[in-house]
Amino acid sequence: MRKFFVVVALIPISTALVWMVYYSVKKINSNSKIDLAQNQLSRLFSSLDLAIENVNDPAIIVYFNSECEHCQSEIKSIVKKINSFESHQLFFISHEPQTQALEFLKNYNLEENYIISNPEKVMNAFSGGVPQTLIYSNGLLKKHFKGEVSVEAVLNAINDD
């Protein structure tokens, strides 16, 4: 009788373990695809269904949300030192509604730097939360900051060649 209870108890435990392993592998594979797409600027733009013709190298992409305090702080810091970014093309992208993102960027005269893309494609192209800052040189990902980053760290990364 005791063996019966042990076997009955092991069934849900083993089922839960199999489920956890399956979803962990699925998440790792998803993140690997995202990382692979982000490693090249052309692949990232392709995953967003964007043409890359007008992109000059080097480039910086900031993934943001207008309601995120960390994003607001990072963008304010970038604007204060905007002249330091003259040698780089600066892009901003968000998964929120276009009107909301553009209204936010207008406050900083950055609306011309906004990348318009399908919100679902944006969320599939970036794993994790906002803000994220990606720095590209020669079309390849040079540095990827997840979370709020200081402008000095970004400047150090773009000047470190």
Side-chain angles (χ1 to χ4, degrees):
M1 188 72 156
R2 191 172 213 215
K3 266 186 168 179
F4 174 75
F5 287 120
V6 171
V7 170
V8 170
L10 286 177
I11 290 173
I13 292 171
S14 60
T15 303
L17 286 173
V18 168
W19 181 83
M20 288 174 36
V21 168
Y22 171 76
Y23 281 99
S24 296
V25 169
K26 188 175 176 181
K27 180 72 172 171
I28 290 168
N29 288 339
S30 174
N31 287 342
S32 295
K33 287 179 184 176
I34 291 170
D35 291 343
L36 182 64
Q38 289 178 347
N39 280 335
Q40 289 184 343
L41 188 59
S42 60
R43 283 188 189 155
L44 177 61
F45 274 47
S46 178
S47 72
L48 296 167
D49 284 341
L50 302 172
I52 194 162
E53 299 159 4
N54 298 328
V55 178
N56 297 323
D57 205 21
I60 300 170
I61 298 176
V62 178
Y63 174 48
F64 77 98
N65 185 300
S66 64
E67 295 176 354
C68 164
E69 291 179 21
H70 298 286
C71 301
Q72 294 168 3
S73 175
E74 185 172 330
I75 291 173
K76 285 177 187 175
S77 298
I78 289 171
V79 169
K80 286 180 184 176
K81 296 196 174 195
I82 197 72
N83 292 336
S84 301
F85 294 94
E86 286 179 346
S87 63
H88 284 66
Q89 196 160 6
L90 191 58
F91 297 102
F92 295 91
I93 191 164
S94 180
H95 64 270
E96 65 189 330
Q98 179 182 342
T99 53
Q100 189 175 346
L102 278 170
E103 189 62 36
F104 171 73
L105 291 174
K106 279 182 185 177
N107 294 327
Y108 302 101
N109 296 319
L110 295 171
E111 67 273 14
E112 290 181 14
N113 302 73
Y114 181 66
I115 298 174
I116 300 169
S117 184
N118 177 309
E120 188 175 317
K121 290 192 181 284
V122 173
M123 289 186 345
N124 289 333
F126 294 90
S127 65
V130 290
Q132 292 185 41
T133 306
L134 295 88
I135 301 170
Y136 290 89
S137 181
N138 298 319
L140 300 174
L141 183 63
K142 182 177 179 182
K143 189 76 175 177
H144 186 173
F145 296 101
K146 291 186 178 187
E148 185 176 353
V149 63
S150 70
V151 173
E152 289 75 22
V154 173
L155 292 173
N156 285 339
I158 66 176
N159 292 324
D160 184 35
D161 280 328

